[in-house]
Amino acid sequence: TTEDSTFRGQRFAKEKAAEMLEWLASGKGGDKLPPFFNEIPFLPSARELQPVRIILEKKGVSLDDMKLLHKENYLEKNESDYVLQAKFYSRMNILSDLVASHESKSVRKVVLEHMTDLIKANRSFFQNLVEYEELASMHFLTVVHDPFSSDRDDVGDKSVGSSSYMASVVAQESCVNGGFVTNLLRRLLSRCVDESDRDLKDVLASCLGEIGAIDPNRLGREISSCQFESELQGSKDNEWRLSHPPWKGHLDRYQLRLLSRHLVTSLKSSPTILDQHKISFGIQELLKLLNESGSSNYGRAEDGAKKERADKSTKSSMSQWLREKLEEADVLNVVEPFWTTNYKQADTAAAKSPPFFLKSNSYYAWLSSFSRFLISRSISNKNSIWRSFFYACRSAIRSNAGISAAEFLFPLLILDAVCFGNSHDETIVVRELVSSLTFDTVGSEAICSMNMREREKAANSVFTLIDLLRKWVDQEIEDRYRESRRRKRAANVDLESCTSAWPADIVLSKIRRLLDQIPLSLCASAASRVGMNARALQFLEIDSRSQIASSAISNAKKNTASYHDSKFLKSCHIDGIDLQLTKKLLGQLCDFDTMITISQKSNPSELSSRLLEVATEREMYGDWEGALQAYEHLLDSRLRSGNIVGCSKNRAQKGLLRCLLKLGRLDSVLNQAYGMSKQDLDLKEMEFSNEILPYATEAAWRLGKWSSLDSLVNEEHDESGQDAHARYQLSLGRTMHSIHCRLPEKVILGLRDARECVMSSLSSAARDSYARSYPYLMKLHLLREVEYISSVFFSEKDRKDTFVEFVSSDEWKDRIKMITPDITGSNDIINTRLALSRMANEPALEGSLWLDIGRLARKGGLYQVAEHSLAQADMSFQNAYTEPAPVDDSFIFFVQDSIGNVKLQLAKLKHAVGETTTALNLIENNIPASIFQMNDAELDSYVSKMTRDGNIALESKETLSRRILQSTEWLVSGGLRSGSEIKSRYHTVLKLAPKWERAHFHFGKYIESLLETRFSALSELGNNASRLMVLQNDKSCQEYSLESVSHFGRSLQLGQKHLFQALPRLLAMWLEFTSIESADKNASLEENQAQMNSLIKSFAEKIPEHLFYTALPQLLSCVIHQNDETAKNVALILTSVLAKYPGQAMWSCGWLRYSKSKEKNEVAEKIFV
């Protein structure tokens, strides 16, 4: 069969390619060749290439892709994590460059596949790069490290050497271009916009899913649309064309640009022989035109020499001028063979007649047929100046590979038809451009057969044309204005404009006329439909300003005095534009302040319109409860009075279901969806309308109602009218149903369909910013996890153990840490993990996810969501605890400890809503009062007795200490216990968790509050002198100061979470206490001061230097101190910070050396020496 012969042909080609590579690697073609294999980015892991890899390794050429994909090979050789991290970083840089720059789709696809596998095999390394970039982007203290330094003593240290070096490398790259991860995401998102091949976009989606949805705040810098455009194909052409208008530029320059930047690239990426022939013919014809034109258009100063060289050339040889230009463009070796070719094309078929857009089913078909028509009109028009240039490209634009050449010529062809054609040509051009931007059909107008992705490309090409023409006009007007201001126009005539036959004045007037015939409101609507929100808002603003300016000019002509009185235009330009579209765009771009302002200005009179605006506004703010109430009012028949009909009702229904999904009320979604469908359609039991179906599908798989999901996904429904998000919901529902039914083939198809739906939306969002692309990256993140877990479900190993092992891994947990925290409990990734855990019958994992959701919701103030999530967590853990299946002791301990954490979160929730008594009862349940009087041995004995059946601990020391500390803090804030009881509680916590930073901080803070209370009781005047007097004479105050400083210092040794609260208080109490001078010898005071300085000296050695860096101003103010030992400690801390971070601390400490104070100069000398 044909398929068998194709397969045999591909296998034969692979074998021959492997033989050729083996011959080259073996050195039979020359001994100097094998070392150049080091420049190959990677060797694919194909079976046929294994002999090549072995030969290269014997010759010392290390292609380490397999070793990176299987890290155990490195571990066997005792390679450090630093080496692996560095090689991973280097490999990813190479692959990133290839994705961005290579012209071949096949190569880009293979590179993306390899990049995906590489990140998957080294997720920890990639997450390290994200963390390093986040630290570098904070613009805080960073480690200064020379990447070219020969000192590598710390390379073997995994915890210090690798992290510090890689952090410095990433920090340096972050300063240059925002960081590696930022640059990689920018390139991949640019590819989302530029790629059109379906298979390639699917691979790209998998790669982005493997990278995951990284919180925008973690990136080195903000990624904006202008950075995306810098990576897109043709963006540099726009810049070049902007500086070379046809009436100022030379034809030769356009021909060279097209030849070197487009046709050569198209030739390399041509997928078929026919495409290669079409491109080759264009190269051949352009070489002839360039050789004939010679050098006459490149300035009079060089005309003589170049013309002479052109005359010396013969017809059989390429002119020296052309050869030099091709060498400058680095394409001579590619195009020189086409100088002697003899391609011919017989133009037997006439160009198609308009309209083109309505008849085309793809962007390529429209652009190709429209451009071919314009070329045919140009070649038959004697007035057309560049008709030979256009005619030479007639074959290239009909090739799929030559689409970039057609896009480059498109503005020139439009301008040629408008300027040199007749009125009929201009009408056709305007009609085609307007058709490409019209999405809503009117009357009997035919509907375009293009899908949304193709329409997006067509609209973008028109927007690029409009921008280019407008900028050409504006630039020419500005140039003429500047020239007239200098009054040197006659003396400094532009030589290039003299040689151009394009009539500048006529061209400018024709451009203005063309732009006036394309309504800006239509452009805004089209940009919004294809997801270009920023561009749509720009069109609306230009439209409003144009209307206001036209009105002002018209009034000026009628009444000059009135015009001068109102020469300042109003700042709010909303007259004559679609306000509903404007507010929608502002909401999509997160400009809520402007959206609210416009809503106040518009002030709709109808109740339904006001409710719809309120619902939309609250939804954009993430206030799902408020949006739900607005949608319910909107659908209430008693309130709407028949005003809401048609699309507004459908919009309100979908909004209501969307809010219910976000709030986790899944049963209500199914009930409401069925009720809404029954209102308009006579449906059977549990049938849903097409518009409601996606929401019901998501609710069904999240609830685990597989029978309902089976009926939802297996019935035939018309999805042609569904948007991309609705199709994504249906595809994901089918995927989850296939996983549950153990149908791997359908899982693959469902994931592919879901990725395609996401990419259709992501390609539009990527044109705006990374922030707008982020929700779609979340979906790709989700789909990648579903894809991997589905393979776990279908594996031959013990599915349950494999699933638990993967979901419990650090890599799995770290992936969720990279995303933006969601306090609403509506995180799609968490919801999917919950469903998969329920499908795998893992209630313990399900409970852990519910616990995380409840904790975040409580911290965010969403107490209803938190209460529901914590109740679900408690139920899941109880189910796990009572499982009949045999479980080990560690699992029971984990479940019991988690139940304790749930109680702790519930207690915090009750305290947050004002139920302090209930909170204390919950948190102190089963904690005996005698525990606070136990010594260390008794406490250890009590904890060891907390067992179930005599061998399993019911609660860990950490959970018990957290409960006691939290209740103690509430008791302190409420004043419900005496000082001795509180101190005994803190001592118990520290016995249970002696290395807990938070416990030491809060104990120190409590001791400080006791100190302040004693000051208030003993101080009569309340001023600083009276305070120092009390501190000098009261032994209890001195002990409080010592104890508080001790706990603050200990907390700083253990962590830096409370750095900005603990360190300033520690330094202030130390400096204040040691500044007291006693007139009579107070032995107790001096002893305590000496003990305080001893504490500080030990802290100076144990607390990291970068923590002291944050308090440099406080330390520098006390370099001169009454207490000599204190002054030495201050100098010691400053010296250690300056030695560790000289590049940063120098700015703060340098002024000491030039101080007018002699004492400070002496201290500075000691510090710097």
Side-chain angles (χ1 to χ4, degrees):
T1 62
T2 304
E3 293 183 358
D4 292 338
S5 61
T6 302
F7 175 75
R8 288 195 299 269
Q10 291 177 347
R11 185 175 61 183
F12 176 76
K14 284 184 178 181
E15 293 173 353
K16 283 296 181 182
E19 289 178 7
M20 293 173 63
L21 285 172
E22 188 174 350
W23 182 80
L24 293 172
S26 64
K28 295 179 181 179
D31 295 335
K32 296 182 179 180
L33 185 60
F36 285 94
F37 274 84
N38 278 316
E39 299 180 9
I40 297 177
F42 64 93
L43 197 62
S45 56
R47 177 180 55 82
E48 293 84 357
L49 295 178
Q50 190 61 27
V52 180
R53 181 176 285 103
I54 295 174
I55 292 173
L56 291 174
E57 287 182 352
K58 290 180 179 179
K59 291 182 175 294
V61 179
S62 177
L63 296 174
D64 59 347
D65 58 300
M66 289 302 294
K67 296 176 182 177
L68 277 175
L69 293 176
H70 303 283
K71 293 189 291 183
E72 59 270 14
N73 294 341
Y74 267 108
L75 299 178
E76 291 174 1
K77 298 181 179 181
N78 296 321
E79 294 275 11
S80 66
D81 277 353
Y82 159 73
V83 175
L84 285 171
Q85 178 83 66
K87 289 188 176 182
F88 174 77
Y89 178 76
S90 175
R91 173 59 54 84
M92 288 295 296
N93 267 311
I94 296 173
L95 298 178
S96 175
D97 292 337
L98 283 173
V99 169
S101 60
H102 207 282
E103 63 272 4
S104 173
K105 292 189 295 185
S106 301
V107 172
R108 293 199 299 272
K109 181 181 177 182
V110 174
V111 170
L112 284 169
E113 290 174 344
H114 182 71
M115 182 185 291
T116 304
D117 294 337
L118 198 62
I119 297 174
K120 177 182 176 181
N122 302 273
R123 283 175 179 158
S124 60
F125 291 158
F126 186 80
Q127 287 160 2
N128 287 341
L129 291 177
V130 176
E131 292 176 2
Y132 296 152
E133 188 162 319
E134 180 184 12
L135 293 175
S137 67
M138 291 171 65
H139 303 292
F140 186 55
L141 188 63
T142 54
V143 178
V144 178
H145 190 95
D146 182 10
F148 304 103
S149 173
S150 59
D151 183 10
R152 287 290 180 268
D153 295 336
D154 60 348
V155 166
D157 188 349
K158 298 180 182 180
S159 61
V160 178
S162 64
S163 62
S164 63
Y165 175 69
M166 286 306 301
S168 66
V169 173
V170 175
Q172 291 175 9
E173 184 171 354
S174 180
C175 295
V176 177
N177 58 9
F180 164 74
V181 179
T182 303
N183 195 37
L184 174 64
L185 286 172
R186 177 169 57 83
R187 287 175 166 177
L188 292 179
L189 289 176
S190 300
R191 277 296 166 195
C192 290
V193 178
D194 206 33
E195 297 292 359
S196 57
D197 183 77
R198 182 181 180 185
D199 294 333
L200 182 54
K201 292 189 71 173
D202 186 67
V203 175
L204 179 58
S206 297
C207 184
L208 286 169
E210 186 60 48
I211 291 172
I214 301 175
D215 185 352
N217 296 316
R218 289 179 176 267
L219 300 180
R221 67 177 59 170
E222 183 181 357
I223 303 178
S224 60
S225 57
C226 60
Q227 295 170 357
F228 288 150
E229 292 174 0
S230 65
E231 294 287 341
L232 295 180
Q233 180 179 356
S235 61
K236 294 182 179 179
D237 284 330
N238 293 335
E239 298 177 4
W240 184 87
R241 285 184 300 194
L242 184 60
S243 59
H244 293 81
W247 57 90
K248 286 187 176 180
H250 289 284
L251 174 60
D252 293 352
R253 292 190 176 181
Y254 272 94
Q255 291 171 342
L256 276 171
R257 183 80 181 186
L258 178 64
L259 176 66
S260 60
R261 296 300 179 93
H262 295 278
L263 293 184
V264 170
T265 302
S266 300
L267 180 68
K268 293 179 180 179
S269 60
S270 296
T272 64
I273 297 297
L274 181 60
D275 287 329
Q276 290 179 358
H277 289 333
K278 291 179 179 179
I279 302 299
S280 300
F281 176 74
I283 294 175
Q284 169 190 290
E285 296 300 300
L286 282 180
L287 287 175
K288 293 178 182 178
L289 291 177
L290 284 167
N291 196 63
E292 291 172 1
S293 64
S295 59
S296 60
N297 290 334
Y298 276 82
R300 299 178 179 178
E302 300 179 356
D303 272 356
K306 291 184 178 178
K307 183 67 176 176
E308 183 178 353
R309 280 182 289 181
D311 291 340
K312 289 181 180 179
S313 65
T314 63
K315 293 183 179 180
S316 60
S317 63
M318 187 184 298
S319 66
Q320 185 65 26
W321 166 82
L322 180 56
R323 183 176 295 275
E324 290 175 359
K325 289 298 179 183
L326 295 176
E327 284 180 350
E328 289 177 9
D330 196 24
V331 295
L332 179 61
N333 293 334
V334 179
V335 302
E336 190 173 16
F338 299 101
W339 176 255
T340 57
T341 55
N342 192 26
Y343 285 102
K344 293 183 180 180
Q345 177 175 332
D347 298 321
T348 56
K352 296 180 181 179
S353 58
F356 303 104
F357 188 81
L358 298 177
K359 297 178 182 178
S360 303
N361 58 4
S362 68
Y363 167 66
Y364 159 72
W366 171 66
L367 186 62
S368 177
S369 58
F370 190 23
S371 298
R372 187 185 178 194
F373 170 78
L374 294 176
I375 290 176
S376 67
R377 298 294 296 172
S378 175
I379 196 64
S380 62
N381 186 355
K382 295 182 179 180
N383 295 325
S384 179
I385 301 171
W386 288 4
R387 58 183 181 275
S388 299
F389 170 41
F390 299 146
Y391 192 65
C393 305
R394 64 190 184 279
S395 178
I397 63 169
R398 296 169 60 188
S399 164
N400 241 319
I403 189 70
S404 65
E407 290 173 337
F408 178 79
L409 292 172
F410 187 60
L412 299 175
L413 291 171
I414 293 293
L415 199 58
D416 180 83
V418 171
C419 293
F420 304 116
N422 53 33
S423 59
H424 179 63
D425 294 335
E426 182 177 352
T427 301
I428 292 174
V429 167
V430 172
R431 187 177 299 164
E432 285 296 317
L433 298 181
V434 171
S435 297
S436 65
L437 300 178
T438 304
F439 284 80
D440 298 320
T441 57
V442 180
S444 60
E445 185 179 351
I447 300 175
C448 179
S449 58
M450 286 188 197
N451 59 35
M452 188 58 68
R453 173 59 179 152
E454 298 298 312
R455 297 214 62 177
E456 176 193 329
K457 295 179 184 177
N460 186 61
S461 67
V462 176
F463 293 150
T464 302
L465 167 69
I466 293 173
D467 289 344
L468 181 63
L469 295 179
R470 182 179 289 113
K471 289 177 181 178
W472 271 345
V473 173
D474 294 342
Q475 182 176 302
E476 179 66 20
I477 293 174
E478 184 176 354
D479 290 344
R480 291 186 178 188
Y481 175 75
R482 289 179 177 177
E483 198 170 331
S484 63
R485 292 278 294 180
R486 290 194 299 266
R487 299 183 181 278
K488 296 181 180 180
R489 183 174 182 180
N492 293 335
V493 178
D494 187 86
L495 294 177
E496 292 184 353
S497 63
C498 287
T499 59
S500 174
W502 285 75
D505 292 332
I506 296 177
V507 172
L508 294 179
S509 64
K510 292 286 187 178
I511 291 177
R512 292 195 190 97
R513 180 175 173 178
L514 174 64
L515 294 178
D516 289 341
Q517 296 181 74
I518 304 175
L520 291 170
S521 58
L522 179 65
C523 296
S525 176
S528 173
R529 290 294 296 270
V530 298
M532 304 178 189
N533 295 324
R535 191 187 287 267
L537 193 62
Q538 180 185 20
F539 282 126
L540 287 174
E541 184 177 356
I542 295 174
D543 187 18
S544 179
R545 290 179 181 273
S546 300
Q547 293 183 38
I548 294 173
S550 300
S551 177
I553 293 174
S554 177
N555 292 335
K557 292 179 179 179
K558 297 177 181 179
N559 190 344
T560 306
S562 172
Y563 172 72
H564 285 294
D565 291 340
S566 59
K567 61 181 180 180
F568 295 105
L569 301 179
K570 56 185 179 180
S571 59
C572 187
H573 307 286
I574 61 174
D575 296 336
I577 62 175
D578 188 344
L579 297 181
Q580 194 66 32
L581 175 60
T582 304
K583 287 182 285 188
K584 176 184 175 183
L585 295 172
L586 290 169
Q588 293 287 348
L589 296 172
C590 300
D591 190 355
F592 300 120
D593 294 335
T594 308
M595 183 182 71
I596 293 173
T597 302
I598 291 181
S599 297
Q600 293 172 349
K601 295 286 184 180
S602 58
N603 192 20
S605 57
E606 292 185 3
L607 176 61
S608 59
S609 300
R610 290 203 304 271
L611 287 173
L612 194 58
E613 287 189 1
V614 169
T616 305
E617 179 184 333
R618 291 181 179 178
E619 198 171 343
M620 289 176 178
Y621 274 116
D623 181 10
W624 301 109
E625 192 67 49
L628 177 64
Q629 294 176 5
Y631 283 126
E632 286 177 341
H633 291 163
L634 190 59
L635 292 170
D636 193 335
S637 59
R638 296 169 299 175
L639 297 177
R640 67 173 185 256
S641 302
N643 291 331
I644 178 171
V645 292
C647 62
S648 297
K649 180 179 178 180
N650 292 335
R651 182 179 173 186
Q653 289 177 340
K654 288 195 244 182
L656 177 70
L657 296 176
R658 186 165 52 248
C659 293
L660 289 173
L661 279 175
K662 290 292 184 180
L663 292 171
R665 302 172 189 175
L666 305 179
D667 287 313
S668 298
V669 173
L670 290 176
N671 295 332
Q672 290 279 357
Y674 178 66
M676 292 174 182
S677 300
K678 288 288 287 182
Q679 285 181 358
D680 302 323
L681 302 173
D682 185 15
L683 299 176
K684 299 178 182 179
E685 185 71 19
M686 294 308 294
E687 285 190 0
F688 302 92
S689 65
N690 290 336
E691 294 183 347
I692 304 300
L693 180 64
Y695 303 96
T697 302
E698 181 176 345
W701 67 257
R702 285 176 60 182
L703 283 170
K705 294 187 175 182
W706 305 112
S707 58
S708 300
L709 183 63
D710 182 74
S711 62
L712 289 170
V713 300
N714 287 329
E715 292 183 5
E716 293 186 1
H717 298 277
D718 183 16
E719 299 181 12
S720 59
Q722 303 278 16
D723 58 12
H725 179 66
R727 296 197 306 273
Y728 161 79
Q729 287 176 298
L730 293 172
S731 299
L732 181 57
R734 294 191 188 100
T735 302
M736 300 297 287
H737 177 263
S738 300
I739 295 175
H740 180 261
C741 296
R742 306 296 187 266
L743 302 172
E745 296 82 5
K746 290 189 176 182
V747 170
I748 295 173
L749 292 175
L751 288 171
R752 184 181 178 90
D753 291 341
R755 285 194 294 265
E756 184 177 2
C757 296
V758 175
M759 291 299 288
S760 65
S761 301
L762 179 59
S763 60
S764 300
R767 296 183 184 274
D768 286 342
S769 65
Y770 179 80
R772 183 152 183 272
S773 305
Y774 182 78
Y776 305 106
L777 295 177
M778 286 274 288
K779 294 177 181 178
L780 294 178
H781 183 140
L782 177 157
L783 293 173
R784 184 64 178 175
E785 291 190 354
V786 172
E787 180 179 8
Y788 188 80
I789 293 181
S790 65
S791 64
V792 173
F793 274 91
F794 303 138
S795 64
E796 297 179 356
K797 300 179 181 179
D798 188 349
R799 176 178 58 80
K800 188 178 182 69
D801 293 341
T802 306
F803 179 83
V804 173
E805 179 183 356
F806 175 70
V807 175
S808 303
S809 64
D810 292 336
E811 292 179 356
W812 177 266
K813 296 176 182 177
D814 289 339
R815 277 176 65 84
I816 203 68
K817 290 179 182 178
M818 292 194 303
I819 68 175
T820 303
D822 188 352
I823 64 174
T824 64
S826 61
N827 188 299
D828 292 337
I829 297 175
I830 296 292
N831 292 333
T832 307
R833 290 187 178 188
L834 281 170
L836 292 170
S837 300
R838 191 179 299 114
M839 193 186 303
N841 193 23
E842 288 295 334
L845 295 175
E846 185 181 350
S848 299
L849 292 169
W850 280 119
L851 180 58
D852 292 336
I853 295 173
R855 182 185 297 111
L856 287 174
R858 177 190 59 78
K859 291 181 178 180
L862 300 178
Y863 300 130
Q864 291 183 350
V865 175
E867 187 173 12
H868 172 263
S869 301
L870 293 174
Q872 291 284 350
D874 186 60
M875 182 176 65
S876 299
F877 286 127
Q878 294 294 343
N879 292 338
Y881 187 68
T882 57
E883 274 189 338
V887 291
D888 56 10
D889 294 350
S890 60
F891 175 77
I892 297 177
F893 171 74
F894 166 75
V895 172
Q896 286 291 339
D897 194 51
S898 300
I899 292 174
N901 284 325
V902 172
K903 291 181 179 179
L904 177 61
Q905 293 300 322
L906 281 171
K908 290 182 177 181
L909 176 62
K910 295 298 182 181
H911 181 267
V913 298
E915 301 179 15
T916 305
T917 304
T918 305
L920 287 171
N921 290 334
L922 275 172
I923 204 171
E924 293 203 328
N925 186 27
N926 298 329
I927 299 178
S930 60
I931 193 176
F932 305 117
Q933 309 301 327
M934 296 179 181
N935 55 32
D936 292 348
E938 293 172 339
L939 192 60
D940 290 339
S941 176
Y942 170 78
V943 173
S944 64
K945 291 179 180 179
M946 294 173 55
T947 59
R948 177 178 179 265
D949 297 335
N951 56 5
I952 303 173
L954 296 177
E955 192 172 32
S956 65
K957 285 186 177 182
E958 290 75 13
T959 303
L960 179 61
S961 60
R962 288 177 61 204
R963 291 171 59 192
I964 297 175
L965 179 61
Q966 187 63 73
S967 63
T968 302
E969 291 176 15
W970 292 340
L971 291 172
V972 170
S973 62
L976 302 177
R977 292 289 189 276
S978 64
S980 59
E981 290 178 301
I982 296 297
K983 291 181 70 175
S984 65
R985 281 174 164 268
Y986 276 116
H987 284 302
T988 302
V989 171
L990 292 175
K991 289 174 185 176
L992 291 169
K995 294 185 178 181
W996 191 11
E997 178 255 357
R998 178 185 169 188
H1000 282 284
F1001 169 74
H1002 283 284
F1003 194 14
K1005 188 177 178 182
Y1006 175 70
I1007 297 299
E1008 185 187 5
S1009 68
L1010 294 180
L1011 174 63
E1012 296 298 329
T1013 302
R1014 192 161 181 83
F1015 276 144
S1016 301
L1018 298 179
S1019 177
E1020 298 178 356
L1021 301 177
N1023 54 24
N1024 189 52
S1026 178
R1027 177 188 176 92
L1028 293 177
M1029 184 66 67
V1030 172
L1031 188 59
Q1032 176 183 349
N1033 298 318
D1034 188 72
K1035 190 174 181 180
S1036 296
C1037 289
Q1038 297 172 14
E1039 292 175 353
Y1040 285 153
S1041 296
L1042 280 170
E1043 190 173 7
S1044 181
V1045 168
S1046 174
H1047 286 290
F1048 280 148
R1050 182 64 175 153
S1051 72
L1052 292 170
Q1053 286 180 242
L1054 298 171
Q1056 57 187 30
K1057 185 175 182 179
H1058 299 92
L1059 166 64
F1060 298 105
Q1061 294 97 340
L1063 185 57
R1065 292 307 305 146
L1066 180 148
L1067 295 177
M1069 294 174 68
W1070 162 49
L1071 296 171
E1072 179 187 48
F1073 182 58
T1074 57
S1075 66
I1076 301 174
E1077 296 180 349
S1078 177
D1080 51 343
K1081 295 296 182 179
N1082 189 335
S1084 176
L1085 175 63
E1086 292 177 356
E1087 181 182 352
N1088 287 331
Q1089 286 180 335
Q1091 187 177 351
M1092 177 74 80
N1093 276 315
S1094 177
L1095 270 176
I1096 297 299
K1097 187 175 182 179
S1098 67
F1099 290 152
E1101 298 172 355
K1102 297 176 182 178
I1103 296 176
E1105 291 84 354
H1106 67 273
L1107 301 187
F1108 282 116
Y1109 176 83
T1110 63
L1112 276 184
Q1114 192 174 1
L1115 291 166
L1116 289 170
S1117 65
C1118 297
V1119 291
I1120 305 300
H1121 199 273
Q1122 295 92 323
N1123 189 299
D1124 294 338
E1125 193 64 29
T1126 300
K1128 291 180 182 179
N1129 284 336
V1130 171
L1132 174 64
I1133 296 172
L1134 292 175
T1135 302
S1136 62
V1137 173
L1138 187 61
K1140 187 70 174 180
Y1141 307 113
Q1144 291 81 12
M1146 184 71 70
W1147 293 100
S1148 300
C1149 301
W1151 66 271
L1152 283 176
R1153 302 196 66 175
Y1154 302 96
S1155 175
K1156 295 181 179 179
S1157 171
K1158 184 178 180 180
E1159 294 178 341
K1160 290 184 179 181
N1161 279 330
E1162 293 175 354
V1163 174
E1165 289 298 326
K1166 295 179 182 179
I1167 293 174
F1168 279 88
V1169 169

